[in-house]
Amino acid sequence: MPLKRLHLSARTVSAQILKRQAELECLEIGYQVRGLDGLQPTDPPKLRALKAELKVAEAIVPGRPIEELDLSNDHRTWNFTPEMLQKLTLSTQPITKVSLRLDPWGPHNGQRSLRVIAGYLVHVTELTVVVGTYETTQDIIKAISSFKHLRRFIFLRAGYMTDVLFMSSMTDDELVYWDEQDALAESDWAELKAGLMTNCPTLVEVRHARVRRAGTPLLVGL
């Protein structure tokens, strides 16, 4: 049976593994993985969903039909450059779903990062943002208007140990936020949602993390 999904977590991976996966559609690659040099666009040719840090995404996205891109494992979003993002535009299909972790070293770096990303990934319709401690709701509100086709926004207030589930496997019941202590306060959420809907008129759904009484936080839409 051909392999459709693959998770590579070892630090060193042979590119030959991907060269043999002609039917692979979803790939998750762990943090600081090496050994993927020499890949051709046909390795693998049907890949549509990728979770990886940006350095790996730069090597894998060009020439492949990537539609879903999860960069939430990369803590350097605040330092993404246009040169890095240019390679993400070389997917043979528009990238429409993106997940990011904004953990900027200093105020407003996350806002700048979102604007730069929106300038390159211009077809994004669904955006998940994992927000670090320096980011404010106003920064998100100001940056969200840069996404001209955005219809669904998912906001996670994150601690350092938060991760986002692989995007292609997300269902409404599986969109789980793991760090209950950093869930967005209801007053902040009301402000965020109102600002998002005003500044981004294409939005039809906004979701955020709320802690259930049993202690398991779950994303909800309001």
Side-chain angles (χ1 to χ4, degrees), residues 23-38:
E23 301 298 320
L24 189 66
E25 296 181 0
C26 303
L27 175 63
E28 180 175 351
I29 298 181
Y31 190 61
Q32 294 184 339
V33 168
R34 299 178 178 86
L36 296 175
D37 297 335

Side-chain angles (χ1 to χ4, degrees), residues 127-202:
L127 177 65
T128 298
V129 175
V130 183
V131 179
T133 54
Y134 285 100
E135 205 59 41
T136 68
T137 56
Q138 286 301 319
D139 285 333
I140 299 296
I141 290 170
K142 291 175 182 178
I144 204 68
S145 61
S146 301
F147 293 89
K148 303 303 182 183
H149 304 285
L150 193 63
R151 297 183 60 80
R152 188 175 191 231
F153 180 81
I154 301 170
F155 179 89
L156 303 183
R157 184 71 179 177
Y160 289 105
M161 299 305 293
T162 303
D163 191 16
V164 178
L165 296 177
F166 191 29
M167 292 179 63
S168 61
S169 65
M170 282 184 174
T171 67
D172 286 344
D173 292 332
E174 291 173 338
L175 286 169
V176 178
Y177 167 67
W178 298 101
D179 191 348
E180 61 191 69
Q181 295 180 346
D182 287 313
L184 191 66
E186 287 305 309
S187 59
D188 291 337
W189 164 244
E191 177 186 2
L192 174 62
K193 185 189 176 186
L196 290 172
M197 300 299 285
T198 299
N199 282 17
C200 190
T202 59

